[in-house]
Amino acid sequence: MDDEIEILDVDDNNTPVRAPLKNQDLSSLALTAGEILSLYGWHLLVATFMVYLLIQHLWKRRSSQRSTSPPPQQDAAAVAKRQEAMEAARRKMQEDLDAKAAIFREKQKQQEEEKRKQKIEVWENIQQGKSSKGTTRHAQSSEEASSSQSALKPKTDKKPLRSADYNPLAGQGGGTCSWRPGRKGPSSGG
């Protein structure tokens, strides 16, 4: 068998053209430095200049940051005085907080004591056969009952909030129906 294969192409003139498929060396693809400079010289020159300007800008910015932020020299006495003032303010705030907490605890104790007394009173009333609320229902007079019932009735001198024929399900027009056209645009089917 033959290792070389020939492929013939046909031109427009119907004449066969030979296209060799042998491994060609890549020397035609390799560009020399002179060719690269001649093709991309201006581009390389501009890129180099831009990198130089960027480095100069960063160097100036770095040096200006160093010169503008020297650590301020503080007087040791001023620092100590400021710290003492802060400690005094913290102590005062803590004392205020402790005082408020003590008042709150005292109120809590009083409320717990009142609840305990109410529970004892309810228990004693239950033991005596009275209502758990401490008052009996029979103690109310018929006069008090009638006054409480009259207080529950609505007063007629006030204007009613809405008319008697109001129906929230009927819509705005008091029960009238109105036709609305459908939504315009493409359907949202899926």
Side-chain angles (χ1 to χ4, degrees):
M1 293 197 135
D2 205 7
D3 287 335
E4 293 184 28
I5 298 175
E6 290 184 21
I7 296 178
L8 300 175
D9 288 337
V10 178
D11 265 349
D12 292 336
N13 300 338
N14 290 333
T15 59
V17 177
R18 289 182 146 191
L21 290 178
K22 294 181 179 179
N23 265 343
Q24 298 176 351
D25 62 331
L26 300 176
S27 63
S28 64
L29 294 178
L31 297 175
T32 63
E35 290 174 342
I36 290 175
L37 284 177
S38 66
L39 291 175
Y40 303 108
W42 286 107
H43 300 287
L44 290 173
L45 181 65
V46 169
T48 306
F49 184 70
M50 295 297 283
V51 168
Y52 173 76
L53 288 178
L54 180 67
I55 290 172
Q56 289 296 322
H57 175 71
L58 292 175
W59 187 263
K60 286 179 184 177
R61 196 163 118 192
R62 185 176 177 194
S63 65
S64 68
Q65 284 179 353
R66 285 183 186 170
S67 65
T68 59
S69 62
Q73 297 295 327
Q74 296 179 351
D75 186 23
V79 171
K81 187 176 181 180
R82 187 178 315 125
Q83 286 179 349
E84 288 174 8
M86 288 175 65
E87 285 297 320
R90 287 183 185 139
R91 270 185 263 131
K92 181 181 177 185
M93 289 172 59
Q94 186 65 41
E95 289 171 0
D96 291 344
L97 184 63
D98 290 342
K100 288 179 183 178
I103 292 170
F104 179 75
R105 282 192 299 267
E106 188 64 33
K107 286 182 181 179
Q108 288 291 93
K109 286 180 182 178
Q110 288 176 356
Q111 287 177 352
E112 288 175 6
E113 184 66 25
E114 288 176 13
K115 285 182 183 180
R116 187 182 66 81
K117 286 180 182 179
Q118 287 176 356
K119 286 182 180 181
I120 292 172
E121 185 178 324
V122 167
W123 177 252
E124 289 175 354
N125 287 339
I126 290 175
Q127 292 295 325
Q128 293 175 1
K130 295 181 181 178
S131 168
S132 63
K133 299 294 181 186
T135 59
T136 59
R137 295 281 178 199
H138 303 295
Q140 281 187 340
S141 65
S142 61
E143 185 178 308
E144 291 174 350
S146 64
S147 67
S148 65
Q149 288 176 356
S150 65
L152 295 176
K153 291 182 184 177
K155 296 185 179 183
T156 57
D157 59 341
K158 287 188 176 180
K159 182 179 170 185
L161 294 175
R162 59 182 74 89
S163 63
D165 62 339
Y166 173 74
N167 185 2
L169 299 177
Q172 292 258 344
T176 60
C177 293
S178 63
W179 177 80
R180 287 192 204 169
R183 209 176 125 199
K184 293 182 181 178
S187 66
S188 61

